[in-house]
Amino acid sequence: MAINTPAGSSRRDFLRLTGTLGAAAGLVAGLAACGGGQGPSASRSGGASSAPTEQEVTSKDGVITAGISYELGTNGYDPMTTSAALTVAANWHTLEGLTELHPATREVYAALGAELPAMVDDTTYEVALREGAMFSDGTAVTTEDVVFSFERVLDPANKSLYSQFLTFLDKVEAKDGTTVTIKLKHAFSLVAERLSVVKIVPKAKVEADAKAFDLMPVGTGPYTMTDNGAATQKVVFERNDKYNGPRPALAKSMTWQILPDDTTRTNAITSSAVQAIDAVPAANLSTMKAPVTVAAEQGFGLLFAMFNHTRMSDVKARQAVMHALDYAKICETGMAGLATPATCFVQEGHPAYKKVSTVYSLNAEKAKSLLSEAGITSLNLLCTDHGWFSSVRPIIRENLEALGITVAYTEKKSSEAYSFIDSGEGDWDVLIAPGDPSVFGNDADLLMRWWYGADLWTETRMHWKGAEGYTAVQSALDEAVKLEGDAQIAKWQEIFETLATEVPLYPIFHRKSPTAYNSETLQNFKPIKLTGLSFVGTGSTAS
């Protein structure tokens, strides 16, 4: 949904135009105050304004500037290990898998592969490499690079978080100098989509200096990184002139400023210092005027409650916390209508969505009773300090304190919060934090495996591994991955029911991703439902 407020439009007319975004009182007040000249139409599919298609972009020598809300993660850019929002988004532009999912449409397309994987039999696929494909340093891509890239992700010693998405995969081997063979452990219906999680890297360069590669990766994508932002707080990209694939760079360079502060990031877009920002704070939407356009795309991205099962092993305690929350106030006031209370693990509109039997709503008396039964008289509440849900944190704290228990509240940067949890530095019972594994893929199996399949989450963080609910979820996931169509979706929906009752980690709400962009200087920019920004297929008239 793209929004641009015409000058002189009435409050009633504007509410009619903005639909769901204007439904919440907090956001209505902000958006109704927006002014400016008549902006571009919001009628194009995918939530983008009327803009040229990739083929119609007239200026391919402009520059793109952006403000990114997320900071650099604790690791670098290596696609085998990175999961931070900023680095993952950067890798969309500099690296490729054999296949890729378009960040806006989520459609799978042949990337480094000349075509989508071709089925030989139920457990064998072949992929030929794109003819003439090179890494940005000018070296040719070989099938040896492809095999190496998959093997390093699959190697348990490397502890790649992406290996959990490839449980169906037996091995990848070179058929000849131009084609690789994909061998599966069993038939799997999402081969093309799932291969996209592995980005192809140059074997020689990684083996020569893995640390240097992590800091400044070399890939086959349309852009190449020239500044990783570690020292400058600016990630800089130049067009990769060696790229010969289907999604060429339509700008000569990009500069992403790392701007975690909400006010600084908002000022950057309103002053035209940048052309696009992610995570637009609802409180700052009233400052947006043409040519700035605001879009809010409903996606899977969520705010979750994660429980420490060493103390919250009794499911009654976990359910009590979920029943204590005022979801209407959290979503309407705290998020100004940019969120929807969770009624399933996935958001309404997702292909696998089905409202679960256990939908949490505010019921303080039930929460008090469950806490009493579980013997819980105090909680250590840990929250990350992401700016976009700053107004939600006090509501959650108040909700829990209203139960008559002692609540010890701590707020930390995301990296510090997880370091605190992973190292066992101190006590915590509940973590409130955002997450969005849909940046890796959109199928329900992948989304669930991110949190419920990896030891990092289930053992190191939740301490849930080995519990009865954990075992049931793993068994059902392994069963579902071998199914297809309606049978597969039905099995996923059974797991949704288990997660809703067990709540080891569970969504509080699914959010709309608010993006602001300059609709005059950016050509064919498409707001996305994911965390981050994508400039795939985007041009610029700015210089």
Side-chain angles (χ1 to χ4, degrees):
M1 177 189 300
I3 297 173
N4 203 111
T5 313
S9 59
S10 70
R11 178 184 176 91
R12 182 175 60 188
D13 289 342
F14 184 62
L15 291 179
R16 176 177 54 81
L17 290 169
T18 57
T20 56
L21 264 180
L27 189 57
V28 169
L31 289 180
C34 294
Q38 176 64 50
S41 165
S43 61
R44 293 182 69 88
S45 61
S49 63
S50 289
T53 65
E54 292 181 32
Q55 292 72 29
E56 294 169 336
V57 170
T58 55
S59 174
K60 298 184 180 181
D61 290 314
V63 299
I64 292 172
T65 54
I68 307 295
S69 63
Y70 286 83
E71 300 184 75
L72 288 168
T74 54
N75 51 20
Y77 291 84
D78 189 328
M80 178 184 74
T81 54
T82 193
S83 62
L86 173 58
T87 50
V88 168
N91 287 349
W92 291 337
H93 300 82
T94 61
L95 302 168
E96 289 181 295
L98 294 173
T99 63
E100 284 294 328
L101 299 180
H102 193 287
T105 67
R106 308 310 283 151
E107 294 177 357
V108 63
Y109 64 90
L112 192 52
E115 296 180 352
L116 291 176
M119 178 186 285
V120 178
D121 56 48
D122 284 350
T123 57
T124 308
Y125 288 76
E126 290 182 353
V127 182
L129 299 185
R130 189 172 70 226
E131 185 176 356
M134 293 184 182
F135 291 106
S136 58
D137 64 357
T139 58
V141 181
T142 68
T143 51
E144 186 179 11
D145 294 316
V146 177
V147 172
F148 171 75
S149 298
F150 276 90
E151 287 181 343
R152 68 196 293 260
V153 171
L154 293 172
D155 185 350
N158 290 330
K159 298 180 179 180
S160 173
L161 291 172
Y162 296 89
S163 63
Q164 65 193 308
F165 301 147
L166 301 169
T167 57
F168 65 92
L169 188 57
D170 182 20
K171 60 182 177 180
V172 177
E173 54 191 9
K175 178 182 180 181
D176 53 40
T178 61
T179 303
V180 293
T181 300
I182 313 292
K183 297 293 293 184
L184 312 185
K185 296 176 182 176
H186 51 75
F188 182 57
S189 62
L190 299 167
V191 171
E193 290 84 353
R194 200 59 68 81
L195 293 182
S196 66
V197 304
V198 177
K199 308 307 177 189
I200 307 307
V201 301
K203 178 182 179 182
K205 191 167 287 291
V206 173
E207 289 185 331
D209 194 336
K211 185 175 181 179
F213 179 82
D214 185 39
L215 294 174
M216 193 74 73
V218 173
T220 63
Y223 288 92
T224 181
M225 184 188 298
T226 58
D227 187 334
N228 66 11
T232 63
Q233 293 297 292
K234 292 182 180 180
V235 184
V236 181
F237 309 81
E238 301 289 339
R239 177 186 286 137
N240 177 13
D241 292 328
K242 305 294 192 301
Y243 180 79
N244 67 344
R247 299 287 189 274
L250 299 183
K252 67 179 180 181
S253 67
M254 296 193 297
T255 298
W256 295 4
Q257 296 184 37
I258 302 173
L259 304 173
D261 180 73
D262 286 348
T263 301
T264 303
R265 195 169 61 259
T266 301
N267 288 342
I269 185 72
T270 56
S271 66
S272 298
V274 300
Q275 296 163 285
I277 63 171
D278 69 331
V280 184
N284 294 337
L285 283 167
S286 62
T287 64
M288 305 299 170
K289 300 179 181 180
V292 175
T293 295
V294 178
E297 299 294 317
Q298 178 66 61
F300 173 77
L302 49 78
L303 187 73
F304 63 76
M306 180 175 76
F307 297 94
N308 182 352
H309 286 63
T310 57
R311 186 164 125 87
M312 306 287 281
S313 59
D314 190 331
V315 68
K316 294 177 182 177
R318 305 193 298 271
Q319 291 175 344
V321 171
M322 301 303 293
H323 280 299
L325 304 182
D326 188 340
Y327 295 88
K329 187 175 181 181
I330 287 170
C331 292
E332 294 171 11
T333 303
M335 288 298 294
L338 289 172
T340 305
T343 56
C344 179
F345 173 73
V346 294
Q347 78 279 17
E348 188 171 357
H350 186 280
Y353 172 84
K354 182 181 180 182
K355 186 176 180 178
V356 292
S357 301
T358 304
V359 175
Y360 293 96
S361 59
L362 176 59
N363 189 332
E365 292 308 311
K366 184 172 185 178
K368 290 177 183 179
S369 176
L370 289 170
L371 282 179
S372 177
E373 292 177 40
I376 300 295
T377 58
S378 64
L379 281 176
N380 295 301
L381 175 63
L382 175 62
C383 293
T384 62
D385 68 350
H386 294 88
W388 62 263
F389 76 98
S390 60
S391 297
V392 170
R393 290 190 287 271
I395 298 173
I396 291 177
R397 182 178 181 179
E398 290 167 6
N399 289 162
L400 295 176
E401 289 176 338
L403 300 179
I405 61 174
T406 302
V407 177
Y409 177 82
T410 307
E411 191 173 306
K412 294 178 179 290
K413 288 181 178 294
S414 181
S415 59
E416 294 174 358
Y418 287 114
S419 177
F420 177 82
I421 290 172
D422 296 347
S423 62
E425 288 180 33
D427 294 330
W428 70 279
D429 298 317
V430 186
L431 171 71
I432 306 297
D436 187 10
S438 67
V439 296
F440 311 121
N442 195 47
D443 65 89
D445 176 77
L446 181 149
L447 298 176
M448 287 189 283
R449 285 184 186 276
W450 176 250
W451 283 302
Y452 310 117
D455 284 352
L456 173 64
W457 288 96
T458 61
E459 186 172 25
T460 305
R461 293 177 176 170
M462 294 181 237
H463 305 291
W464 184 49
K465 186 175 182 179
E468 184 177 346
Y470 167 87
T471 302
V473 167
Q474 304 310 308
S475 176
L477 282 172
D478 290 342
E479 182 180 347
V481 81
K482 300 175 183 178
L483 303 174
E484 296 184 12
D486 292 343
Q488 186 177 64
I489 291 175
K491 179 56 66 173
W492 286 337
Q493 291 170 343
E494 289 179 19
I495 306 174
F496 297 160
E497 292 285 351
T498 301
L499 294 174
T501 55
E502 289 289 325
V503 286
L505 176 154
Y506 201 69
I508 296 170
F509 60 68
H510 296 98
R511 67 183 289 232
K512 296 181 176 73
S513 296
T515 304
Y517 61 100
N518 188 312
S519 53
E520 289 185 356
T521 62
L522 286 180
Q523 296 183 305
N524 197 45
F525 176 77
K526 290 181 172 63
I528 59 176
K529 302 175 181 179
L530 314 175
T531 302
L533 291 172
S534 166
F535 298 97
V536 174
T538 299
S540 173
T541 59
S543 59

